[in-house]
Amino acid sequence: MGRGPGSGLGKTSGRGEKGQKSRSGFSHKVGFEGGQMPLHRRVPKRGFNNKFRKEFATVNLDRLELFDAGTIVTPEVLLRRGMIKKLADGLKVLGNGELTKPLTVRAHKFSARAAERIAGAGGKAEVLEA
């Protein structure tokens, strides 16, 4: 729609002079680049991307050292405290660092070392159902 020469979009209405994009009825697909090979087709693709993969939020044992002895640590508590940003498909506790207090940790997954160290400190590692 031309709005006159004073609007800055008169005559060709911001469509330029000639070409496919100047014609009436033209609509482009997502990623269309005027006939140039689109970026998503120019860039090489490698490997395999599993669209069914599970993304777990992770937390290491040394981060759990902040809690008092006897505390029940759940994913919701960690979210509230800002120790994990989002829960995604669940929470996995990893065994990096030392744990000296007996804590009850509830998570969807535990690494073998994390479960061993939680039990070694006198706590419990309880697996939550997804």
Side-chain angles (χ1 to χ4, degrees):
M1 288 282 201
R3 296 293 183 199
S7 69
L9 289 174
K11 192 177 170 239
T12 53
S13 307
R15 288 173 172 261
E17 287 290 328
K18 299 176 194 166
Q20 188 178 15
K21 295 198 305 192
S22 72
R23 311 296 182 200
S24 69
F26 170 76
S27 65
H28 65 84
K29 292 183 175 142
V30 174
F32 179 76
E33 295 185 20
Q36 172 174 292
M37 186 63 70
L39 182 69
H40 65 89
R41 290 184 60 196
R42 288 198 307 266
V43 176
K45 284 138 194 75
R46 294 200 29 96
F48 171 74
N49 290 319
N50 183 1
K51 64 182 179 181
F52 300 109
R53 81 172 170 271
K54 302 265 188 230
E55 291 280 338
F56 285 91
T58 59
V59 67
N60 277 305
L61 285 179
D62 54 2
R63 299 286 307 272
L64 301 181
E65 195 65 31
L66 301 171
F67 292 99
D68 297 325
T71 306
I72 297 173
V73 181
T74 62
E76 291 75 28
V77 171
L78 296 175
L79 269 171
R80 260 200 318 272
R81 284 230 178 161
M83 295 171 90
I84 55 176
K85 284 193 171 44
K86 65 176 187 167
L87 202 51
D89 289 316
L91 173 69
K92 183 167 183 175
V93 180
L94 304 176
N96 194 13
E98 292 298 320
L99 187 65
T100 57
K101 302 168 188 166
L103 299 173
T104 302
V105 184
R106 294 182 180 149
H108 299 92
K109 285 189 167 200
F110 292 90
S111 69
R113 177 175 278 172
E116 176 187 306
R117 287 185 174 175
I118 291 169
K124 278 194 283 189
E126 297 177 0
V127 178
L128 297 172
E129 292 301 316

